[in-house]
């Protein structure tokens, strides 16, 4: 079964609000990557986290890697219509395999 | 500009026909991948190749075949043995390091009727 789970599957957000999407793995990951796929587009790499407890920011996006390297989160502040899309996390497991989550589809209401 | 080119963007085929999807990259990446994406689902790995003339099955290789005769090219053939071929197919590449992020092509949407 799927080793990397993402919640929620869908996120409806009012423009200007904050939200968080979570990524949980059943096994320890050597790194976590986040991708964004716009509607009708292809996944685009956003960021990679490698260290336990690591936090990285990209403007209004904050990415976190858990202490146990089994979970990660993406927090978006002051959501804009340009944030629409599906956000995927992907982690490399101990066998060197990149496991993708099913994604969180974000819909922004003006 | 370096990148990955997938062609065509849309492809229509009759059931029972094999079809080949093209993927070319000029990023000088050693590793290339094929993923399948179905609506509301994540990316499932079909095949990957870490070096020319070598490739490995991914999680859902049945009904698919690939070749890697050149570093730049990694075509995917969807055979008539694939039971549900209609999907969005994404090609990606990366440097050989296993933790390297993936660069994706624009994808090919295949419809089989």
């Amino acid at each position: 079964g799927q080793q990397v789970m993402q919640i929620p599957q869908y996120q409806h957000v009012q423009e200007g609000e904050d939200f968080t999407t979570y990524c949980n793995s059943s096994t320890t990951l050597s790194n976590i990557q986040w991708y964004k796929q716009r509607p009708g587009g292809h996944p685009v790499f956003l960021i990679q986290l490698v260290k336990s407890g690591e936090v990285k920011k990209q403007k209004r996006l904050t990415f976190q890697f858990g202490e146990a390297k089994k979970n990660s989160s993406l927090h978006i502040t002051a959501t804009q219509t340009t944030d629409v899309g599906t956000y995927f996390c992907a982690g490399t497991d101990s066998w060197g395999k990149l496991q993708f989550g099913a994604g969180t589809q974000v819909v922004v209401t003006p | 500009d370096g990148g990955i080119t997938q062609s065509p963007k849309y492809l229509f085929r009759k059931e029972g026909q094999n079809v080949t999807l093209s993927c070319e990259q000029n990023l000088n990446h050693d590793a290339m991948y094929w993923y399948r994406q179905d609506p509301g689902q994540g990316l499932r790995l079909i095949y990957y190749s870490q070096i020319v003339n070598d490739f490995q099955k991914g999680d859902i290789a049945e009904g698919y075949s690939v070749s890697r005769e050149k570093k730049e090219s990694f075509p995917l053939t969807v055979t008539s043995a694939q039971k549900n071929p209609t999907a969005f197919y994404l090609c990606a590449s990366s440097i050989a390091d296993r933790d390297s992020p993936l660069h994706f092509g624009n994808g090919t949407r295949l419809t089989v009727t």
Side-chain angles (χ1 to χ4, degrees), chain B residues 27-79:
Chain B
L27 297 167
N28 200 32
H29 285 169
D30 288 306
M32 296 187 75
Y33 311 80
W34 274 105
Y35 285 91
R36 171 182 171 138
Q37 186 175 34
D38 293 284
Q41 296 193 31
L43 305 175
R44 292 186 290 168
L45 183 64
I46 305 172
Y47 267 98
Y48 66 99
S49 167
Q50 293 182 306
I51 196 168
V52 174
N53 292 322
D54 186 48
F55 48 82
Q56 309 295 331
K57 290 182 179 179
D59 300 318
I60 55 165
E62 187 176 345
Y64 299 98
S65 66
V66 293
S67 63
R68 188 87 187 275
E69 297 176 2
K70 298 187 299 182
K71 187 175 183 177
E72 304 79 22
S73 179
F74 191 40
L76 172 74
T77 297
V78 184
T79 75

Side-chain angles (χ1 to χ4, degrees), chain A residues 5-26:
Chain A
M5 305 296 292
Q6 274 187 263
I7 51 172
Q9 187 176 1
Y10 299 99
Q11 179 79 55
H12 290 255
V13 191
Q14 197 85 23
E15 195 173 6
E17 289 183 342
D18 303 350
F19 77 90
T20 303
T21 176
Y22 300 91
C23 179
N24 299 303
S25 170
S26 56

Side-chain angles (χ1 to χ4, degrees), chain A residues 31 33 35 37 42 48 97, chain B residues 37 59 99 102 105-106:
Chain A
N31 73 90
Q33 300 170 13
Y35 294 81
Q37 184 175 23
H42 61 277
Q48 181 178 52
K97 189 175 175 184
Chain B
Q37 186 175 34
D59 300 318
D99 292 339
L102 303 179
N106 289 335

